[in-house]
């Protein structure tokens, strides 16, 4: 099970990235882009430069995502609603097409990553996996706490205002474009961290990471888990993963049907996501659950 | 909050209960050998590939448990132990996580399966890392043992790699067509397609140096539409068009290509196409060169084992077995052969016995002779398609069989080096 918690933390961080954009009313259908950029940046560094240090790989993944998102942000911050969703989707599919036809990077097969090392320490086998697991836990929780701070910061609140009434935000003298740009970059960074860690756990990257089906899954997790709290996407991906594992086990031929039914039922009965199960009882009180990320584990 | 806690604890106990139910059956029997079977159960590769493979796995494992397989496999179980199975879908985004789950949660003794080269490339290092006996049943790319796992301990592949198919195809083309001067190709843009085309074009060049390449197309896997690629090939008019398409892509190419006259203008060679025979029938143009990646399907030898397999498969599933079924059966027989020979159901003993083993399958003799005895070589055959309208069945004619030593590189020689060096050490009848 540790393996699935581990895997779902990687994808959970991407769902986190989707979720903070949703706070501003923006649905990114191409968050797989940064998931993939992180994974490939780490993979290519390992493959071509022979570096396997986790911290270097993480840094390179983050820098790659930062540069790309800073540039693309200038374009995307001008669009809202369906146009934002479609543009993010289009960009991620461009990368998908590029990677699928690049023979040096294994085309649709992708390529393998080495076992990571930690500042010169190179654990293997069980120790290596536990080390990576613990580090992933810390990084995921760290990201969740940092994003929680972000959502409670002025720009975080501006995001909610953008969702409600963007015109008024502009009249109040704040730049909605700037807030969206920053949010987009933050989402990119956290997604790329997720990408690097996920790739290192599995030891393999392929272009499927940036395919629209993968991106769609992240959006789905965010809807399923709700955007009420930063812990929600992390818990949501884990639950989805567990449901998938048991669905595959119970009916190997039609597991997608079970997964689909669970999703459908969640949407029908919990329109505000799984997180609303926890907040429903204290509706009268304003939500203040700053210490929530601990529940991610 | 209290109510929430109660809800959570109910949920937790429900989940625990599910785990308990899931775990219960495995403790019931005494000595069992648990096999994880991985095959495409959903997605575009399921119909033509994954389902026949899974069917074959069920058939062989049931027969092995009952002891009803023909000799020399007529002992019950594997090394005396009854076989239990866990079947999982290869069409999963979390292939590696599912593999780890088979090993750690389900506690399987061995894993057989995997059809896509992409899956195999991802799983190969994982199998070695987790020290689990893993037998790849299909997967074409030679990279598995030539680049990814160069010193295999736990990983085996009981099927020849793509080099065999393409060297044999090149030999067949050069031997049966007197006047080949240009070749073209349409292959999927990933390891399998790229390696297949490289091996084929190098082999043809090695056998007949006057041949030139005209048009090579590399569309994306599972693209489904090949209009522009077919136009390009029609324009270039090569004498031979080579394709390693498989599954649904193959069927799309046959339907679209034959409709536009590609098969009439060029001699088409399909290296992995016997799966289309029962599904497309008259739609495959007569004269197309058909490959089955070994002596499978229409090329199966007339042995007791092969005839038993064809009959049992047809009786149970109402259709002829195709190559993925043979290949899956071959990988399970490999484990059984090694286990029976060493009279043990211990995976550690089995993997020792399997390395370098020669055993009989429904596709003839299999020699585990490459990659320190971890990669098989087999004989293969090519023939041309002929649809028999009277019986409504497709057959092959002008069949030529190539022995394992003729179309596979010797141990310790890379595929490409072997072909470029003019097939040194090849023994052909």
């Amino acid at each position: 099970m540790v393996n699935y918690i581990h895997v779902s933390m990687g994808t959970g961080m991407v769902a986190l990235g989707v979720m903070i954009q949703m706070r501003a009313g923006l649905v990114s259908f191409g968050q797989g882009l940064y998931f993939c950029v992180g994974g490939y940046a780490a993979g290519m560094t390992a493959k071509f430069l022979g570096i396997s240090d986790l911290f270097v790989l993480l840094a390179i993944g983050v820098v790659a995502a930062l540069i790309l998102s800073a540039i693309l942000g200038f374009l995307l911050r001008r669009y809202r609603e369906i146009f934002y969703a479609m543009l993010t989707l289009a960009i991620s599919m461009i990368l998908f097409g590029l990677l699928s036809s690049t023979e040096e990077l294994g085309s649709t097969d992708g390529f393998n990553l080495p076992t990571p090392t930690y500042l010169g320490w190179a654990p293997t086998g069980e120790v290596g996996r536990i080390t990576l697991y613990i580090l992933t836990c810390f990084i995921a929780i760290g990201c969740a706490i940092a994003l929680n701070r972000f959502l409670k910061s002025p720009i975080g609140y501006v995001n909610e205002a953008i969702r409600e009434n963007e015109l008024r935000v502009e009249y109040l003298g704040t730049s909605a474009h700037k807030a969206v740009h920053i949010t987009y970059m933050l989402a990119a960074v956290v997604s790329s961290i997720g990408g690097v860690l996920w790739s290192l756990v599995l030891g393999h990257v392929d272009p499927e990471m940036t395919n629209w089906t993968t991106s769609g899954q992240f959006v789905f997790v965010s809807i399923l888990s709700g955007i009420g709290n930063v812990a929600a996407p992390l818990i949501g991906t884990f639950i989805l993963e567990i449901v998938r594992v048991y669905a595959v086990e119970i009916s190997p031929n039609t597991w997608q049907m079970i997964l689909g039914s669970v999703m459908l039922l969640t949407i029908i009965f919990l329109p505000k996501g799984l997180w609303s199960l926890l907040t429903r009882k204290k509706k009268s009180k304003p939500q203040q659950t700053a210490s929530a990320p601990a529940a991610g584990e | 909050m209290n109510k929430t806690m109660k809800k959570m604890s109910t949920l937790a106990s429900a989940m625990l209960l599910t785990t308990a139910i899931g775990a219960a059956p495995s403790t019931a029997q005494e000595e069992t050998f648990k096999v994880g079977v991985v095959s495409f159960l959903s997605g575009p590769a399921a119909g033509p590939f994954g389902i026949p493979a899974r069917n074959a796995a069920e058939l062989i494992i049931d027969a092995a448990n009952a002891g009803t397989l023909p000799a020399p496999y007529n002992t019950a179980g594997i090394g005396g132990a009854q076989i239990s199975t866990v079947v999982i879908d290869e069409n999963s985004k979390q292939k590696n996580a599912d593999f780890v789950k088979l090993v750690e949660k389900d506690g399987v003794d061995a894993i057989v399966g995997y059809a896509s080269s992409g899956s195999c490339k991802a799983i190969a290092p994982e199998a070695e890392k987790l020290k689990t006996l893993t037998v790849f049943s299909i997967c074409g790319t030679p990279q598995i043992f030539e680049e990814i796992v160069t010193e295999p301990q736990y990983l085996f592949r009981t099927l020849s790699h793509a080099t065999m198919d393409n060297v044999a195809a090149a030999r067949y083309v050069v031997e049966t067509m007197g006047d080949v001067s240009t070749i073209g190709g349409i292959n999927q843009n990933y390891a399998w397609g790229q390696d297949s085309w490289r091996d084929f074009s190098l082999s043809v060049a090695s056998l007949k140096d006057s041949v030139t390449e005209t048009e090579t197309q590399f569309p994306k896997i599972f693209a489904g539409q090949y209009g522009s690629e077919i136009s390009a090939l029609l324009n270039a008019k090569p004498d031979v068009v080579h394709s390693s398409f498989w599954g649904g892509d193959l069927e799309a190419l046959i339907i679209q290509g034959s409709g536009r006259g590609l098969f009439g203008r060029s001699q088409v060679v399909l290296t992995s196409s016997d799966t289309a025979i029962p599904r497309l029938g008259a739609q495959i143009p007569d004269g197309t060169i058909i490959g089955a990646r070994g002596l499978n399907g229409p090329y199966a030898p007339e042995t007791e084992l092969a005839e038993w397999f064809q009959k049992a498969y047809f009786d149970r599933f109402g259709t002829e077995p195709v190559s993925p079924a043979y290949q899956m059966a071959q990988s399970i027989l490999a484990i059984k052969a090694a286990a029976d020979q060493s009279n043990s159901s211990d995976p550690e003993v089995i993997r020792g016995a399997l390395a370098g083993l020669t055993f009989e399958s429904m596709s003839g003799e299999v020699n585990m002779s490459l990659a320190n005895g971890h990669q098989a070589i087999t004989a293969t055959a090519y023939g041309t398609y002929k649809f028999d309208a009277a019986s409504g069945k497709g057959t092959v004619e002008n069949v030529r069989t190539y022995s394992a030593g003729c179309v596979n590189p010797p141990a310790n020689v890379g595929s490409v080096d072997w072909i470029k060096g003019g097939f040194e050490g090849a023994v052909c009848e």
Side-chain angles (χ1 to χ4, degrees), chain A residues 20-296:
Chain A
I20 60 168
Q21 294 175 76
M22 273 187 180
R23 278 286 179 98
L26 300 168
V27 182
S28 167
F29 262 100
Q31 206 59 29
L33 174 71
Y34 294 105
F35 183 53
C36 184
V37 163
Y40 267 76
M44 283 158 74
T45 310
K47 189 180 164 91
F48 297 118
L49 304 178
I51 296 170
S52 60
D53 191 274
L54 178 95
F55 303 100
V56 177
L57 297 183
L58 263 179
I60 287 176
V62 167
V63 169
L66 258 183
I67 295 171
L68 188 65
S69 63
I71 299 167
L72 291 175
F74 285 108
L75 174 75
L76 285 165
R77 68 187 197 173
R78 298 160 58 194
Y79 295 91
R80 300 289 177 269
E81 295 171 0
I82 187 78
F83 307 103
Y84 185 87
M86 289 294 118
L87 260 179
T88 49
L89 175 69
I91 296 162
S92 77
M93 289 311 287
I94 292 173
L95 183 67
F96 179 72
L98 277 175
L99 292 177
S100 298
S101 51
T102 311
E103 198 179 334
E104 292 72 34
L105 296 177
S107 304
T108 49
D109 284 345
F111 57 90
N112 291 322
L113 278 79
T115 313
T117 54
Y118 310 89
L119 305 172
W121 181 50
T124 53
E126 196 61 19
V127 184
R129 289 177 50 209
I130 297 290
T131 314
L132 186 58
Y133 172 68
I134 292 170
L135 257 170
T136 308
C137 287
F138 274 113
I139 294 170
I141 292 168
C143 283
I145 292 171
L147 288 180
N148 194 46
R149 292 299 311 151
F150 166 75
L151 292 175
K152 304 241 178 296
S153 73
I155 291 183
Y157 286 120
V158 167
N159 275 342
E160 290 189 37
I162 292 171
R163 186 180 64 201
E164 299 303 330
N165 190 336
E166 184 169 348
L167 205 58
R168 192 168 284 180
V169 173
E170 295 280 350
Y171 279 146
L172 285 170
T174 308
S175 167
H177 279 185
K178 197 176 136 200
V180 169
H181 201 152
I182 291 173
T183 311
Y184 180 72
M185 284 173 70
L186 260 178
V189 167
V190 71
S191 305
S192 70
I193 295 175
V196 174
L197 294 172
W198 187 85
S199 309
L200 286 172
V201 182
L202 296 194
H204 187 77
V205 288
D206 61 43
E208 199 57 33
M209 291 171 85
T210 180
N211 199 1
W212 65 272
T213 49
T214 312
S215 301
Q217 240 173 20
F218 299 133
V219 175
F220 210 98
V221 168
S222 303
I223 294 171
L224 192 76
S225 56
I227 57 170
N229 191 290
V230 287
L234 294 178
I235 300 171
T237 35
F238 177 63
I239 292 176
L240 197 69
E241 193 64 38
I242 294 301
V243 171
R244 193 186 69 85
V245 171
Y246 279 97
V248 170
E249 201 162 300
I250 293 164
S251 109
N253 290 306
T254 50
W255 58 274
Q256 285 101 333
M257 223 159 76
I258 298 181
L259 205 58
S261 313
V262 170
M263 289 174 171
L264 209 62
L265 291 173
T266 316
I267 292 182
I268 294 170
F269 295 108
L270 292 170
K272 291 207 160 176
L274 292 170
W275 190 255
S276 61
L277 273 178
L278 296 178
T279 50
R280 191 176 279 175
K281 300 294 166 197
K282 38 178 181 171
K283 237 179 213 163
S284 51
K285 280 187 257 170
Q287 290 178 27
Q288 273 177 358
T289 46
S291 63

